Structures are given as C-alpha cells and as structure tokens.
Amino acid sequence: MTRLKILLVAVVCVAILTVILRDRIDPPFITAPPRDINEIRARVTPQLQAEFAEAGLTYGAPVFMRIFKEERVLEFWVQNGHQFELFKTYGICNYSGALGPKLREGDWQSPEGFYFVPPGAMNPNSSYHLSFNLGFPNRFDHDAGRTGSFLMVHGDCVSVGCYAMTDAQIEEIYVIAEAAHTNGQPFFRVHAFPFRMTDDRLMKEQGTMWYAFWQNLKQGYDAFENTRNPPDVTVEDGRYVFG
C-alpha cells in the first residue's frame, strides 16, 4: 500500500471514530459550547404560539410524540380536551441501523418501544444543538438484556443510534415540549415504531425475527389509534402491557 493510501485510510478511520465518540458522549452533565436557550425560546415561541392558535390548540398543553422509522417521520401531538390532536409531522433527518430494536451498546441501532421523557432528560447544551434523552433502556429493554446509553432525539442531522432532526426542527420540538413540562406535564411519551403498524404492513413481516415483538408494539399503536390518548404502559413477563 502506498503512503498516500495509508494516509487516506488513517484519515477515514479518525473521522469515523470521531463521529462514534461524539454520539456516545452526550449525557446531561457534559456540555457543548453554551448556546443561549433564551434566545431560541424568544425567536421561535411567537411563531409557534401563532400556529397553535390557528390550529385551535393551547400552547403549553400536554404533548405526545410518535416516531416511524420506515416513513422517517416524527409526529407531534397536542392534547385538546379529552384527546390528542396532530399538530405537526416532522421529517426525520437521519437515524441509524435497520428496522428492529436496539440490542446492545454500539450496535448503531435506533431504539423501538415506549419511552418517557421528564424535564431532567432535556438538554439545552447538547453537542447536537438541542436534545432530549429517550430513557433507553426502559424497563422492557432492561429485562430483555438490552444495553445502550444516551439515546436521544436531537439536532445536527447526524446519528449513530439516535433520531436526528435538523436544528430548526429540534428547536420547535424542544421548545414546545419544554413549555408542556413548564406548564405541569411531568413527562411526555415517545412511542418509536419500525413502521406504521397497520394490519397489512405487519402481515408482511410474518416469519421475520421481530414479528412477535412488533405484534406487541402494535397493541400500543392500536390503543392510541382507537382512543387518541397514549396508553399507560407497563411491563409484565417480558411484554409491554397497555392500560
């Protein structure tokens, strides 16, 4: 191998390692160069409030999110009376891995399942503009022996296991979710699915290794579709249970 080829290989390896490490060190206690979250709030809140008013929704009301890998979308729902209404659908800029759950630290898979985001999981000083931690592994993941840490929804459009949005998108998502927390919502739910879990789409996965797992996820998907209220989620005997 020529010196030039050796140099090129070394540069590529360093670049890949830098991206991997960068994605792995974004816990709440490690901060990027400070950004002014107050400036972001002041800039994006007026327009968001106007969009909420136009949609007949209350800014600061409880929120709920659904993620669909195959369709590459994040749905943002807002409570209106006794049900949730779809406020906006955001295209996911990037996620990593294939359809299927995250199994272990470093597998580059973005998680699938049912997650809860309290105020302490919000990070305005993320290395990826803004972020919130999904809380992986949850009780189900832990019981299944799945490992991983700092799995986020964040900006910067780069992912090695997270769901990455554009900076403009994450600013809206973050500020609305933060307002819901401030207004009293103790946590918001994020449901992450491999695809829209219609009967026809799931039938195509019969015989695949994740079919039983996805059948369980579909129960949670159907519970929301039928009521427009995210169900309470617990874990019993290695399965999600919905109330």
Side-chain angles (χ1 to χ4, degrees):
M1 184 179 293
T2 67
R3 288 186 178 180
L4 179 58
K5 288 183 177 179
I6 293 172
L7 179 60
L8 288 174
V9 170
V11 169
V12 169
C13 289
V14 169
I16 293 173
L17 181 61
T18 299
V19 171
I20 293 172
L21 292 176
R22 185 175 175 224
D23 194 69
R24 296 278 290 281
I25 55 171
D26 194 25
F29 54 84
I30 297 179
T31 59
R35 66 184 46 82
D36 188 352
I37 186 62
N38 292 319
E39 183 277 329
I40 294 174
R41 291 190 196 107
R43 174 164 45 80
V44 305
T45 299
Q47 179 60 37
L48 289 171
Q49 289 175 328
E51 292 180 20
F52 267 66
E54 184 177 356
L57 300 171
T58 301
Y59 189 77
V63 300
F64 164 60
M65 301 179 206
R66 296 200 301 182
I67 289 171
F68 298 99
K69 280 184 178 178
E70 187 170 73
E71 292 78 6
R72 301 180 70 94
V73 298
L74 182 152
E75 292 181 346
F76 202 109
W77 296 74
V78 178
Q79 189 171 19
N80 188 17
H82 298 295
Q83 293 184 318
F84 281 71
E85 292 187 14
L86 182 62
F87 169 64
K88 190 175 289 191
T89 298
Y90 296 92
I92 294 173
C93 190
N94 204 353
Y95 74 87
S96 56
L99 300 185
K102 183 173 184 64
L103 300 180
R104 62 188 179 276
E105 186 85 54
D107 66 3
W108 292 20
Q109 279 288 109
S110 299
E112 297 171 7
F114 302 91
Y115 299 95
F116 304 84
V117 182
M122 308 289 283
N123 186 4
N125 294 312
S126 170
S127 300
Y128 301 92
H129 195 58
L130 299 170
S131 71
F132 57 83
N133 193 323
L134 287 172
F136 181 97
N138 62 16
R139 168 72 184 280
F140 178 96
D141 301 320
H142 184 270
D143 289 355
R146 298 173 182 174
T147 59
S149 52
F150 312 126
L151 277 299
M152 309 279 180
V153 174
H154 59 62
D156 209 27
C157 197
V158 61
S159 171
V160 187
C162 298
Y163 290 102
M165 317 300 292
T166 67
D167 288 352
Q169 289 173 329
I170 197 62
E171 286 182 356
E172 290 191 5
I173 293 166
Y174 187 99
V175 170
I176 300 170
E178 183 185 59
H181 279 151
T182 300
N183 211 38
Q185 187 176 18
F187 58 82
F188 60 85
R189 294 173 170 87
V190 180
H191 294 181
F193 298 106
F195 41 76
R196 292 197 181 276
M197 309 206 76
T198 63
D199 293 338
D200 289 344
R201 179 62 186 86
L202 185 59
M203 284 289 289
K204 295 178 181 179
E205 301 300 326
Q206 282 188 311
T208 62
M209 66 183 299
W210 298 122
Y211 182 66
F213 172 64
W214 287 339
Q215 282 183 307
N216 190 202
L217 296 191
K218 188 178 188 306
Q219 293 176 311
Y221 174 89
D222 288 343
F224 179 75
E225 287 291 299
N226 292 334
T227 67
R228 286 296 188 262
N229 276 291
D232 292 329
V233 182
T234 56
V235 177
E236 296 178 11
D237 300 322
R239 291 179 59 84
Y240 286 113
V241 177
F242 307 95

